[in-house]
Amino acid sequence: MAEKVINSVANASESKENIPQSNGDKPTEAGDGDGVKIGQSYLVKRMGNALHYAEILQIRANELEGGKVEYYVHYKGLNRRMDEWISRERLSLKQDAVEDKKVIQTSVYDEQPDRKITRNQKRKHDEINHVQKSYAEMDPTTAALEREHEAITKVRYVDRVQIGRFEIDSWYFSPFPDEYGKQPKLWICEYCLKYMKYEKSFKRHLGECTYRQPPGTEIYRKGTISVYEVDGRDHKIYCQNLCLLAKLFLDHKTLYYDVEPFLFYVLTEVDRNGAHMVGYFSKEKESPDGNNVACILTLPPFQRKGYGKFLIAFSYELSKLEGAVGSPEKPLSDLGKLSYRSYWSWVLLEILRDFKGTLSIRDLSVMTSIAQNDIISTLQALNMVKYWKGQHVICVTPKLVDEHLKSAQYKRPRLMVDVSCLKWAAPRKQLILKNPKLKK
C-alpha cells in the first residue's frame, strides 16, 4: 500500500540496525500457560486495588520488558480509552465474585435502581465517567458502523510514545505500519514527527534533525504561544505522521493518509530550543457540510491548561475572517463534547449578559460564527430556549445568566485568542457575509 511505502522510506534507516526483533504477541491464539484465555472475563485490580470486570482481548510477550506476558483488557461498561495492557499480578482468577464488595459497578446509578434521572443528567454522567453507549442505545446504522470500527481498532498495541521530554500512555489503536504498529513503545521526534522503534535510533535522529518548528507558515504569535498553518498537500509526510500520532488519542478519527484536502493548525509552546507541539486542529479546505474543524486534539501532558478551548476559539476566529458559520465534524469524543459545550456556553452567556435588546438564534450565529444547531443544543442544556410557534425562542433573565457565569464550568477561558496577533487572511474565493444591524 502507498502509505506503507511512504513511512518505510521515512524510517528506512531503522530497518538496517542490528537489533533483535520483537516477537510481538506470540501467546495470543488461545491463551497463556496459566489458563487465562482470550474472550473470557476476569476481575482486574484498578486504582486503589478496587476490582472491575474486564474481558481479555489479547495477550502478548513484551520484549521491552524481557518477554514478560501482558494482557490487554477492556473494562465492561467503560469507554475503550480505559482499556490497557496489564501484568499477570493484576488479574484475579476468582470466578465467583458476585458478592465481593470491592467489585466496581458499571454505573453509579446501578447502585440506586429506584432513583429516576433525567436524560440530561445521564448524558453528563456518561460523559464525565467515560461510560460507553451500548449497541442497543444506538440506531441500527450507527451500531453497525460502531461494530465494524471496534473490530478493526479493538487492540491498542502501541501502549506508550516518547515525544520530547514526555512519555505518554496512548488511549486508542493507531494504524502505524505493521513494522511499527505492534511495538509496545514508539519514539517520536517532537519537531518533524518521525516515529521510531528504538531509543538508539531516536537519539541519533535528534542529533541529525534540522526541524525546530512545524513546517508551514506561522500565523499567530503571542508570548510563548505560536500557531502554524500546515498544508497537507505541501507537507504530506509531516501531516500523515501527525494524524497517526493523533489517532492514539482519538477514537473515531479516520483521516490517516489522505491529507492533501486538509489544512492543519499546529499549536506550539516556544522556547530557546524551538517550537514544541501542544496540540492541533485540522479542517477541510472545502467542507460541503460547513465544518470548521475535522479533528482537534490537545496532547495529554498539556490538557486542563486552557489549550483545548484556545484551539476551539482559534477555529472560530478563522471562521469569522472567512465570513462563515462553522461547526466541528461529528461525532465528537467525550472530552471534545465537554470542551465544546463549555466554550459555546461561555461565549453565548457573555453575549446574553451584555446585550440590550432582542436576539434571535440567527443573530447569535452571525455574531459568533457558531452553527445554529450548536447554539440551540447549548441553550437547551442551559434551559434558556423554548420552542414556540414553530421556532426556537431565547428565554433568559439576568439572574439566570449570572448564576451560570458564576459556575466554574462556564468561567472565562484561561487563554484567549488575541486577534491583533493573528496574521491570516481568508482565501479570496470565500464569500464575506455582512453582519445584520443589531440593536444594542
CSV table of all heavy atoms in Angstrom, one decimal, residues 263-302:
chain,number,residue,atom,x,y,z
A,263,LEU,N,-6.1,21.4,5.8
A,263,LEU,CA,-5.1,22.3,6.5
A,263,LEU,C,-5.0,21.9,7.9
A,263,LEU,O,-6.0,21.6,8.6
A,263,LEU,CB,-5.6,23.8,6.3
A,263,LEU,CG,-5.6,24.4,4.9
A,263,LEU,CD1,-6.4,25.7,4.9
A,263,LEU,CD2,-4.2,24.5,4.4
A,264,PHE,N,-3.8,22.0,8.5
A,264,PHE,CA,-3.5,21.7,9.9
A,264,PHE,C,-3.0,22.9,10.6
A,264,PHE,O,-2.1,23.6,10.1
A,264,PHE,CB,-2.5,20.5,9.9
A,264,PHE,CG,-3.0,19.3,9.3
A,264,PHE,CD1,-3.0,19.1,7.9
A,264,PHE,CD2,-3.5,18.2,10.1
A,264,PHE,CE1,-3.4,17.9,7.3
A,264,PHE,CE2,-3.9,17.0,9.5
A,264,PHE,CZ,-3.9,16.9,8.1
A,265,TYR,N,-3.6,23.2,11.8
A,265,TYR,CA,-3.2,24.3,12.6
A,265,TYR,C,-2.6,23.8,13.8
A,265,TYR,O,-3.3,23.3,14.7
A,265,TYR,CB,-4.4,25.2,12.8
A,265,TYR,CG,-5.0,25.8,11.6
A,265,TYR,CD1,-5.9,25.2,10.8
A,265,TYR,CD2,-4.4,27.0,11.1
A,265,TYR,CE1,-6.4,25.7,9.6
A,265,TYR,CE2,-4.9,27.6,9.9
A,265,TYR,CZ,-5.9,26.9,9.1
A,265,TYR,OH,-6.3,27.4,7.9
A,266,VAL,N,-1.2,23.9,13.9
A,266,VAL,CA,-0.5,23.3,15.0
A,266,VAL,C,-0.1,24.3,16.0
A,266,VAL,O,0.5,25.3,15.8
A,266,VAL,CB,0.8,22.6,14.4
A,266,VAL,CG1,1.6,21.9,15.5
A,266,VAL,CG2,0.5,21.7,13.3
A,267,LEU,N,-0.6,24.1,17.3
A,267,LEU,CA,-0.3,25.0,18.4
A,267,LEU,C,1.0,24.5,19.1
A,267,LEU,O,1.2,23.4,19.4
A,267,LEU,CB,-1.5,24.9,19.4
A,267,LEU,CG,-1.4,25.6,20.7
A,267,LEU,CD1,-1.2,27.1,20.5
A,267,LEU,CD2,-2.6,25.3,21.6
A,268,THR,N,1.8,25.5,19.4
A,268,THR,CA,3.1,25.2,20.0
A,268,THR,C,3.4,26.1,21.1
A,268,THR,O,2.9,27.2,21.2
A,268,THR,CB,4.3,25.3,19.0
A,268,THR,OG1,4.4,26.7,18.6
A,268,THR,CG2,4.0,24.4,17.7
A,269,GLU,N,4.3,25.6,22.0
A,269,GLU,CA,5.0,26.5,23.0
A,269,GLU,C,6.4,26.7,22.6
A,269,GLU,O,7.1,25.8,22.2
A,269,GLU,CB,5.0,25.8,24.4
A,269,GLU,CG,3.6,25.7,25.1
A,269,GLU,CD,3.8,25.1,26.5
A,269,GLU,OE1,4.8,24.5,26.8
A,269,GLU,OE2,2.8,25.2,27.3
A,270,VAL,N,6.8,28.0,22.6
A,270,VAL,CA,8.1,28.3,22.0
A,270,VAL,C,9.1,28.6,23.2
A,270,VAL,O,8.8,29.4,24.1
A,270,VAL,CB,8.0,29.6,21.1
A,270,VAL,CG1,9.3,29.9,20.5
A,270,VAL,CG2,6.9,29.3,20.0
A,271,ASP,N,10.3,28.1,23.1
A,271,ASP,CA,11.4,28.4,24.0
A,271,ASP,C,12.6,28.5,23.1
A,271,ASP,O,12.6,28.5,21.9
A,271,ASP,CB,11.5,27.4,25.1
A,271,ASP,CG,11.8,26.0,24.7
A,271,ASP,OD1,12.3,25.8,23.5
A,271,ASP,OD2,11.6,25.1,25.4
A,272,ARG,N,13.8,28.7,23.8
A,272,ARG,CA,15.0,28.9,23.0
A,272,ARG,C,15.4,27.6,22.2
A,272,ARG,O,16.3,27.8,21.3
A,272,ARG,CB,16.2,29.2,24.0
A,272,ARG,CG,16.5,28.2,25.0
A,272,ARG,CD,17.6,28.6,25.9
A,272,ARG,NE,17.9,27.6,26.9
A,272,ARG,CZ,18.9,27.8,27.8
A,272,ARG,NH1,19.5,28.9,27.9
A,272,ARG,NH2,19.1,26.8,28.7
A,273,ASN,N,14.9,26.5,22.5
A,273,ASN,CA,15.2,25.3,21.8
A,273,ASN,C,14.3,25.1,20.5
A,273,ASN,O,14.7,24.3,19.6
A,273,ASN,CB,15.1,24.0,22.7
A,273,ASN,CG,16.1,24.1,23.8
A,273,ASN,OD1,17.2,24.4,23.6
A,273,ASN,ND2,15.6,23.8,25.0
A,274,GLY,N,13.2,25.7,20.5
A,274,GLY,CA,12.3,25.5,19.3
A,274,GLY,C,10.8,25.7,19.7
A,274,GLY,O,10.5,26.1,20.8
A,275,ALA,N,10.0,25.3,18.8
A,275,ALA,CA,8.5,25.3,19.0
A,275,ALA,C,8.0,23.9,19.3
A,275,ALA,O,8.1,23.1,18.4
A,275,ALA,CB,7.8,25.9,17.7
A,276,HIS,N,7.5,23.7,20.5
A,276,HIS,CA,7.2,22.3,20.9
A,276,HIS,C,5.7,22.2,20.7
A,276,HIS,O,4.9,22.9,21.3
A,276,HIS,CB,7.6,22.1,22.4
A,276,HIS,CG,9.0,22.5,22.7
A,276,HIS,ND1,10.0,21.6,22.5
A,276,HIS,CD2,9.6,23.7,23.1
A,276,HIS,CE1,11.2,22.2,22.8
A,276,HIS,NE2,10.9,23.4,23.2
A,277,MET,N,5.3,21.1,20.1
A,277,MET,CA,3.9,20.9,19.8
A,277,MET,C,3.1,20.6,21.0
A,277,MET,O,3.4,19.8,21.9
A,277,MET,CB,3.7,19.7,18.8
A,277,MET,CG,2.3,19.4,18.5
A,277,MET,SD,2.1,17.9,17.4
A,277,MET,CE,0.4,17.6,17.7
A,278,VAL,N,1.9,21.3,21.1
A,278,VAL,CA,1.0,21.2,22.2
A,278,VAL,C,-0.3,20.5,21.8
A,278,VAL,O,-0.9,19.7,22.5
A,278,VAL,CB,0.7,22.6,22.8
A,278,VAL,CG1,-0.5,22.5,23.7
A,278,VAL,CG2,1.9,23.2,23.5
A,279,GLY,N,-0.8,20.8,20.6
A,279,GLY,CA,-2.0,20.3,20.1
A,279,GLY,C,-2.2,20.8,18.7
A,279,GLY,O,-1.4,21.5,18.1
A,280,TYR,N,-3.4,20.5,18.1
A,280,TYR,CA,-3.7,20.9,16.7
A,280,TYR,C,-5.1,20.8,16.4
A,280,TYR,O,-5.8,20.1,17.1
A,280,TYR,CB,-2.8,20.2,15.7
A,280,TYR,CG,-3.5,18.9,15.2
A,280,TYR,CD1,-4.1,18.8,14.0
A,280,TYR,CD2,-3.5,17.7,16.1
A,280,TYR,CE1,-4.7,17.6,13.6
A,280,TYR,CE2,-4.1,16.6,15.7
A,280,TYR,CZ,-4.7,16.5,14.4
A,280,TYR,OH,-5.4,15.3,14.0
A,281,PHE,N,-5.6,21.4,15.4
A,281,PHE,CA,-6.8,21.0,14.7
A,281,PHE,C,-6.7,21.0,13.2
A,281,PHE,O,-5.8,21.7,12.7
A,281,PHE,CB,-8.0,21.9,15.2
A,281,PHE,CG,-8.0,23.3,14.7
A,281,PHE,CD1,-8.6,23.6,13.4
A,281,PHE,CD2,-7.5,24.3,15.4
A,281,PHE,CE1,-8.6,24.9,13.0
A,281,PHE,CE2,-7.5,25.6,15.0
A,281,PHE,CZ,-8.0,25.9,13.7
A,282,SER,N,-7.5,20.2,12.5
A,282,SER,CA,-7.4,20.2,11.1
A,282,SER,C,-8.8,20.6,10.6
A,282,SER,O,-9.8,20.5,11.3
A,282,SER,CB,-7.1,18.8,10.6
A,282,SER,OG,-8.1,17.9,11.0
A,283,LYS,N,-8.8,21.1,9.3
A,283,LYS,CA,-10.1,21.5,8.7
A,283,LYS,C,-10.0,21.2,7.2
A,283,LYS,O,-8.9,21.3,6.6
A,283,LYS,CB,-10.4,22.9,9.0
A,283,LYS,CG,-9.5,23.9,8.4
A,283,LYS,CD,-9.9,25.4,8.8
A,283,LYS,CE,-11.1,25.8,8.1
A,283,LYS,NZ,-11.4,27.3,8.3
A,284,GLU,N,-11.1,20.9,6.6
A,284,GLU,CA,-11.1,20.7,5.2
A,284,GLU,C,-11.0,22.0,4.4
A,284,GLU,O,-11.5,23.0,4.9
A,284,GLU,CB,-12.4,20.0,4.7
A,284,GLU,CG,-12.6,18.6,5.2
A,284,GLU,CD,-13.9,18.0,4.7
A,284,GLU,OE1,-14.9,18.3,5.4
A,284,GLU,OE2,-14.0,17.3,3.7
A,285,LYS,N,-10.2,22.0,3.3
A,285,LYS,CA,-10.1,23.3,2.6
A,285,LYS,C,-11.5,23.7,2.0
A,285,LYS,O,-11.8,24.8,1.9
A,285,LYS,CB,-9.1,23.1,1.4
A,285,LYS,CG,-7.7,22.8,1.9
A,285,LYS,CD,-6.8,22.5,0.8
A,285,LYS,CE,-5.4,22.1,1.3
A,285,LYS,NZ,-4.5,21.6,0.3
A,286,GLU,N,-12.3,22.7,1.6
A,286,GLU,CA,-13.7,22.9,1.1
A,286,GLU,C,-14.5,21.9,1.8
A,286,GLU,O,-14.5,20.7,1.6
A,286,GLU,CB,-13.7,22.6,-0.4
A,286,GLU,CG,-12.9,23.6,-1.2
A,286,GLU,CD,-13.5,25.0,-1.2
A,286,GLU,OE1,-14.7,25.2,-0.9
A,286,GLU,OE2,-12.7,25.9,-1.6
A,287,SER,N,-15.3,22.3,2.8
A,287,SER,CA,-16.2,21.4,3.5
A,287,SER,C,-17.7,21.5,3.1
A,287,SER,O,-18.3,22.6,3.3
A,287,SER,CB,-16.1,21.7,5.0
A,287,SER,OG,-17.1,21.0,5.7
A,288,PRO,N,-18.2,20.5,2.4
A,288,PRO,CA,-19.6,20.5,2.0
A,288,PRO,C,-20.6,20.6,3.1
A,288,PRO,O,-21.7,21.1,2.9
A,288,PRO,CB,-19.8,19.2,1.2
A,288,PRO,CG,-18.7,18.3,1.8
A,288,PRO,CD,-17.6,19.2,2.1
A,289,ASP,N,-20.2,20.2,4.3
A,289,ASP,CA,-21.1,20.2,5.5
A,289,ASP,C,-20.9,21.5,6.3
A,289,ASP,O,-21.5,21.6,7.4
A,289,ASP,CB,-20.8,19.0,6.3
A,289,ASP,CG,-21.1,17.7,5.6
A,289,ASP,OD1,-22.1,17.7,4.8
A,289,ASP,OD2,-20.4,16.7,5.7
A,290,GLY,N,-20.0,22.4,5.9
A,290,GLY,CA,-19.8,23.6,6.7
A,290,GLY,C,-19.0,23.4,8.0
A,290,GLY,O,-19.2,24.1,9.0
A,291,ASN,N,-18.2,22.4,8.0
A,291,ASN,CA,-17.4,22.1,9.2
A,291,ASN,C,-16.1,23.0,9.3
A,291,ASN,O,-15.4,23.1,8.3
A,291,ASN,CB,-16.9,20.6,9.3
A,291,ASN,CG,-18.1,19.7,9.4
A,291,ASN,OD1,-19.0,20.0,10.2
A,291,ASN,ND2,-18.1,18.6,8.8
A,292,ASN,N,-15.9,23.6,10.4
A,292,ASN,CA,-14.6,24.4,10.5
A,292,ASN,C,-13.5,23.7,11.3
A,292,ASN,O,-12.4,24.2,11.5
A,292,ASN,CB,-14.9,25.8,11.2
A,292,ASN,CG,-15.4,25.6,12.6
A,292,ASN,OD1,-15.7,24.5,13.1
A,292,ASN,ND2,-15.5,26.7,13.3
A,293,VAL,N,-13.8,22.4,11.7
A,293,VAL,CA,-12.9,21.6,12.4
A,293,VAL,C,-13.2,20.1,12.0
A,293,VAL,O,-14.3,19.7,12.1
A,293,VAL,CB,-12.9,21.7,13.9
A,293,VAL,CG1,-12.1,20.5,14.6
A,293,VAL,CG2,-12.3,23.0,14.4
A,294,ALA,N,-12.1,19.4,11.5
A,294,ALA,CA,-12.3,18.0,11.2
A,294,ALA,C,-11.8,17.2,12.4
A,294,ALA,O,-12.6,16.3,12.9
A,294,ALA,CB,-11.4,17.6,10.0
A,295,CYS,N,-10.6,17.4,12.9
A,295,CYS,CA,-10.1,16.8,14.1
A,295,CYS,C,-9.5,17.8,15.0
A,295,CYS,O,-8.9,18.8,14.5
A,295,CYS,CB,-9.1,15.7,13.8
A,295,CYS,SG,-9.8,14.3,13.0
A,296,ILE,N,-9.6,17.6,16.3
A,296,ILE,CA,-9.0,18.6,17.3
A,296,ILE,C,-8.4,17.8,18.4
A,296,ILE,O,-9.0,16.8,18.9
A,296,ILE,CB,-10.0,19.6,17.7
A,296,ILE,CG1,-9.3,20.7,18.6
A,296,ILE,CG2,-11.2,19.0,18.4
A,296,ILE,CD1,-10.2,21.9,18.9
A,297,LEU,N,-7.2,18.1,18.9
A,297,LEU,CA,-6.5,17.4,19.9
A,297,LEU,C,-5.6,18.3,20.7
A,297,LEU,O,-4.8,19.0,20.1
A,297,LEU,CB,-5.7,16.2,19.3
A,297,LEU,CG,-4.8,15.5,20.3
A,297,LEU,CD1,-5.6,14.6,21.3
A,297,LEU,CD2,-3.8,14.6,19.5
A,298,THR,N,-5.6,18.1,22.0
A,298,THR,CA,-4.5,18.6,22.8
A,298,THR,C,-3.8,17.4,23.4
A,298,THR,O,-4.5,16.5,24.0
A,298,THR,CB,-5.1,19.5,24.0
A,298,THR,OG1,-5.9,20.6,23.5
A,298,THR,CG2,-4.0,20.1,24.8
A,299,LEU,N,-2.5,17.3,23.3
A,299,LEU,CA,-1.8,16.2,23.8
A,299,LEU,C,-2.0,16.1,25.3
A,299,LEU,O,-2.0,17.1,26.0
A,299,LEU,CB,-0.3,16.3,23.5
A,299,LEU,CG,0.1,16.2,22.0
A,299,LEU,CD1,1.6,16.5,21.8
A,299,LEU,CD2,-0.2,14.8,21.5
A,300,PRO,N,-2.1,14.9,25.8
A,300,PRO,CA,-2.4,14.7,27.3
A,300,PRO,C,-1.6,15.5,28.3
A,300,PRO,O,-2.1,16.0,29.2
A,300,PRO,CB,-2.2,13.2,27.5
A,300,PRO,CG,-2.6,12.6,26.2
A,300,PRO,CD,-2.0,13.6,25.1
A,301,PRO,N,-0.2,15.7,28.1
A,301,PRO,CA,0.5,16.5,29.1
A,301,PRO,C,0.1,17.9,29.1
A,301,PRO,O,0.4,18.6,30.1
A,301,PRO,CB,2.0,16.4,28.6
A,301,PRO,CG,2.0,15.1,27.7
A,301,PRO,CD,0.7,15.1,27.1
A,302,PHE,N,-0.6,18.4,28.1
A,302,PHE,CA,-1.0,19.8,28.1
A,302,PHE,C,-2.5,20.0,28.3
A,302,PHE,O,-3.0,21.2,28.1
A,302,PHE,CB,-0.6,20.4,26.7
A,302,PHE,CG,0.9,20.3,26.4
A,302,PHE,CD1,1.4,19.3,25.6
A,302,PHE,CD2,1.8,21.2,27.0
A,302,PHE,CE1,2.8,19.2,25.4
A,302,PHE,CE2,3.2,21.1,26.7
A,302,PHE,CZ,3.7,20.1,25.9
